[in-house]
Amino acid sequence: MENRSYLKKIESINRLNGILTGIIIGCIVGILLMAAVLWMGDNSSFLTLSLVIWGSVMVTSILVNLFIASSRSRGVRRRIASLETTVSQPFEKTSFRRVSDEVLLGGDWLVCHNGYDYRFWTREIISRIEVRQQKQSSDKGILEIHVKGYQVVEEVPVTSAEKVRNVLNAWLSGTFTA
């Protein structure tokens, strides 16, 4: 991995997603407004009003989506901070190894992501891990994470189910280091 921490990378991805989502929403509104201008005919005052509305919607949309991205990043930071009491190395100083498209391992840390949803565990809080394949002909599966003290099993869809099963079981037993 590069020099910056994985947490900074997650925050950067969230921020970029917020900006792009805001721009897309603004562009859709702009297209609708321009269609309305074309439908209304030659009316320069409506065109000016449409441009003002479009600019306001674009800026507001970007700001709202940046706020949502910031909130998502704060949730990630809180989860990491709560788990750092169970590990010897802080998340910020951990190097991660990709096990599959969704699963990363780093020392005592397990990170799973699905799109922009990031989930974190440490070896200390996991009681066991199971991976079920969805079909015999496919290597896609469901990673089931059993957390100590909780009855609810957390499920994450994964690719490379067999590899994930082998690596995570070795990691959980302490015979594998990332």
Side-chain angles (χ1 to χ4, degrees):
M1 199 183 122
E2 55 196 46
N3 286 340
R4 68 181 182 160
S5 75
Y6 199 70
L7 178 59
K8 298 288 184 206
K9 184 176 179 181
I10 292 169
E11 289 173 344
S12 174
I13 289 169
N14 284 339
R15 196 171 28 259
L16 181 61
N17 179 52
I19 292 170
L20 292 177
T21 302
I23 290 172
I24 289 169
I25 291 169
C27 287
I28 291 170
V29 169
I31 290 170
L32 293 174
L33 285 170
M34 290 304 115
V37 166
L38 290 174
W39 184 69
M40 296 287 284
D42 187 24
N43 189 345
S44 64
S45 63
F46 186 68
L47 176 62
T48 305
L49 178 64
S50 295
L51 289 174
V52 169
I53 291 171
W54 173 72
S56 300
V57 168
M58 179 73 83
V59 169
T60 303
S61 179
I62 290 171
L63 290 175
V64 166
N65 280 288
L66 277 173
F67 177 76
I68 291 168
S70 175
S71 175
R72 189 179 301 133
S73 293
R74 274 193 310 276
V76 165
R77 274 188 255 118
R78 277 194 301 268
R79 173 71 175 166
I80 289 170
S82 71
L83 289 173
E84 280 187 330
T85 60
T86 66
V87 294
S88 58
Q89 185 176 29
F91 187 84
E92 292 275 345
K93 295 187 184 206
T94 302
S95 294
F96 289 91
R97 176 178 171 222
R98 185 168 298 281
V99 178
S100 72
D101 291 342
E102 311 79 14
V103 178
L104 296 142
L105 283 177
D108 290 329
W109 291 93
L110 169 62
V111 179
C112 295
H113 68 91
N114 187 3
Y116 301 108
D117 177 34
Y118 288 85
R119 296 160 74 180
F120 306 87
W121 299 270
T122 62
R123 189 182 343 232
E124 183 64 30
I125 67 168
I126 298 173
S127 62
R128 78 177 193 272
I129 293 173
E130 296 174 16
V131 180
R132 335 179 238 115
Q133 282 186 258
Q134 291 176 328
K135 297 178 186 174
Q136 289 293 79
S137 61
S138 171
D139 201 24
K140 292 183 180 180
I142 302 293
L143 169 61
E144 297 177 345
I145 300 173
H146 300 262
V147 177
K148 295 175 184 173
Y150 291 95
Q151 297 297 323
V152 178
V153 176
E154 299 188 54
E155 295 183 343
V156 178
V158 294
T159 55
S160 307
E162 188 64 33
K163 179 182 177 187
V164 169
R165 176 185 299 115
N166 295 334
V167 171
L168 289 183
N169 282 327
W171 172 78
L172 194 56
S173 68
T175 59
F176 175 86
T177 54

